[in-house]
Amino acid sequence: EGCEVVALESTGIYWYRLFLELESAVQVIVANARQIKSIPGRKTDINDARWIAELALNGLIKPSRIFPRKDREFRDLTRNREVLVQTRTTIKNRIHKILDSAGIRLKAAMKDIFGRSGRHLLLGIADQKDLETTLATIPSPVILRRTDQIREILRRNPLSSLQLYLLKTQLALFGEIEEKIAQLESLILASLEDSQTEALAICMTVPGVSTTAATTILAEVGDVRDFASADRLVSWAGLAPSVYQSADTLVCGKITKQGSKS
């Protein structure tokens, strides 16, 4: 039809499919909905379409920054890892709730019940294995010295058959999630290009930034060469303070928080 430009709002995830279909055939402008608000009281789909078309024809839309497909896929990997980690945390909380409902408080004997020794103990309890055998085969020498304390806690507060079933179910889910997270982390590292590997090493020189945090930073920022300065990057990420200026008075407010929420 001789169309040279297509403009659309970045509404949720609904623009993804259209963008994927058109990006190789025509210039696509994805507009931030905040920046192209139409006149209140006249909002319909038809009016919205006309308004966006008018803005695009007059060059009044500032295109959103869309990552190349490979960078988008890399970001999807890190975001899916984040979702799985959040799911794992939910499962941990459910397991804590099951144990708490039975009056079992193992924190006094072990700091992390989801560590190697903690999971060994929980799996033994869920599978109704012999308690003495389970305690004797705990892999941590430190925890082994506390077996009397653990034995007293478990014998004083036995789990019901329903609680045992729920605990076994949640532990199985926890194991599956752990496996999927490990697979995703391997895939993320394997997806790094040479330039990203160098950038990863630089990110990890920052105190407190691990491999996981560094890959997330790289995935969310994309190609840093897209930004003319550090200030532009900070502004794009929504970490710049809002500025109010009138004559010679300059007031810096809270950060804008207009960056990606993911």
Side-chain angles (χ1 to χ4, degrees), residues 197-209:
T197 303
E198 182 181 355
L200 182 73
I202 294 172
C203 283
M204 291 176 64
T205 61
V206 179
V209 175

Side-chain angles (χ1 to χ4, degrees), residues 62-114:
K62 182 182 178 182
S64 297
R65 181 171 174 252
I66 307 298
F67 286 21
R69 179 170 295 198
K70 189 164 187 178
D71 289 346
R72 294 201 302 268
E73 291 174 350
F74 182 66
R75 187 175 58 183
D76 284 342
L77 286 174
T78 60
R79 289 183 176 182
N80 273 277
R81 175 183 59 192
E82 182 181 356
V83 170
L84 288 179
V85 170
Q86 291 170 350
T87 304
R88 181 179 63 184
T89 301
T90 301
I91 294 172
K92 284 183 177 182
N93 291 335
R94 286 174 180 166
I95 291 173
H96 276 299
K97 187 175 180 180
I98 293 168
L99 295 176
D100 287 346
S101 66
I104 296 176
R105 298 293 181 92
L106 293 169
K107 288 183 180 179
M110 53 179 66
K111 291 181 180 179
D112 182 15
I113 64 171
F114 298 100

Side-chain angles (χ1 to χ4, degrees), residues 183-199:
Q183 291 174 358
L184 265 180
E185 288 177 344
S186 298
L187 190 55
I188 287 168
L189 293 176
S191 301
L192 288 171
E193 298 179 345
D194 293 338
S195 59
Q196 289 176 308
T197 303
E198 182 181 355

Side-chain angles (χ1 to χ4, degrees), residues 227-247:
F227 303 96
S229 66
D231 289 344
R232 294 286 181 86
L233 172 56
V234 170
S235 177
W236 174 84
L239 299 175
S242 52
V243 176
Y244 306 92
Q245 185 172 10
S246 177

Side-chain angles (χ1 to χ4, degrees), residues 27-249:
Q27 180 188 354
V28 183
I29 298 175
V30 179
N32 187 328
R34 181 192 296 270
Q35 297 173 359
I36 60 168
K37 286 184 177 179
S38 59
I39 301 170
R42 295 180 55 194
K43 184 170 176 59
T44 66
D45 288 343
I46 295 175
N47 286 340
D48 274 352
R50 287 173 177 160
W51 176 246
I52 294 171
E54 186 176 340
L55 293 176
L57 286 170
N58 289 279
L60 296 176
I61 298 179
K62 182 182 178 182
S64 297
R65 181 171 174 252
I66 307 298
F67 286 21
R69 179 170 295 198
K70 189 164 187 178
D71 289 346
R72 294 201 302 268
E73 291 174 350
F74 182 66
R75 187 175 58 183
D76 284 342
L77 286 174
T78 60
R79 289 183 176 182
N80 273 277
R81 175 183 59 192
E82 182 181 356
V83 170
L84 288 179
V85 170
Q86 291 170 350
T87 304
R88 181 179 63 184
T89 301
T90 301
I91 294 172
K92 284 183 177 182
N93 291 335
R94 286 174 180 166
I95 291 173
H96 276 299
K97 187 175 180 180
I98 293 168
L99 295 176
D100 287 346
S101 66
I104 296 176
R105 298 293 181 92
L106 293 169
K107 288 183 180 179
M110 53 179 66
K111 291 181 180 179
D112 182 15
I113 64 171
F114 298 100
R116 189 180 172 194
S117 295
R119 288 183 64 185
H120 172 83
L121 178 62
L122 291 177
L123 287 169
I125 295 170
D127 292 335
Q128 295 181 278
K129 293 181 179 178
D130 179 65
L131 179 58
E132 295 303 324
T133 304
T134 301
L135 292 174
T137 52
I138 287 177
S140 170
V142 176
I143 305 300
L144 270 175
R145 292 195 288 270
R146 302 172 184 166
T147 52
D148 289 342
Q149 187 179 3
I150 296 171
R151 184 185 297 108
E152 182 182 353
I153 293 171
L154 295 177
R155 285 183 172 170
R156 189 171 62 242
N157 305 288
L159 290 165
S160 67
S161 56
L162 175 60
Q163 289 169 333
L164 286 170
Y165 171 76
L166 294 175
L167 178 61
K168 189 172 184 177
T169 301
Q170 295 302 320
L171 286 172
L173 291 173
F174 183 83
E176 290 178 15
I177 294 292
E178 285 271 88
E179 183 182 345
K180 297 302 180 186
I181 290 173
Q183 291 174 358
L184 265 180
E185 288 177 344
S186 298
L187 190 55
I188 287 168
L189 293 176
S191 301
L192 288 171
E193 298 179 345
D194 293 338
S195 59
Q196 289 176 308
T197 303
E198 182 181 355
L200 182 73
I202 294 172
C203 283
M204 291 176 64
T205 61
V206 179
V209 175
S210 63
T211 305
T212 299
T215 51
T216 302
I217 291 170
L218 293 181
E220 293 299 327
V221 172
D223 191 348
V224 74
R225 292 171 296 185
D226 291 347
F227 303 96
S229 66
D231 289 344
R232 294 286 181 86
L233 172 56
V234 170
S235 177
W236 174 84
L239 299 175
S242 52
V243 176
Y244 306 92
Q245 185 172 10
S246 177
D248 295 331
T249 302

Side-chain angles (χ1 to χ4, degrees), residues 244-256:
Y244 306 92
Q245 185 172 10
S246 177
D248 295 331
T249 302
L250 178 65
V251 179
C252 293
K254 297 179 180 179
I255 62 173
T256 60

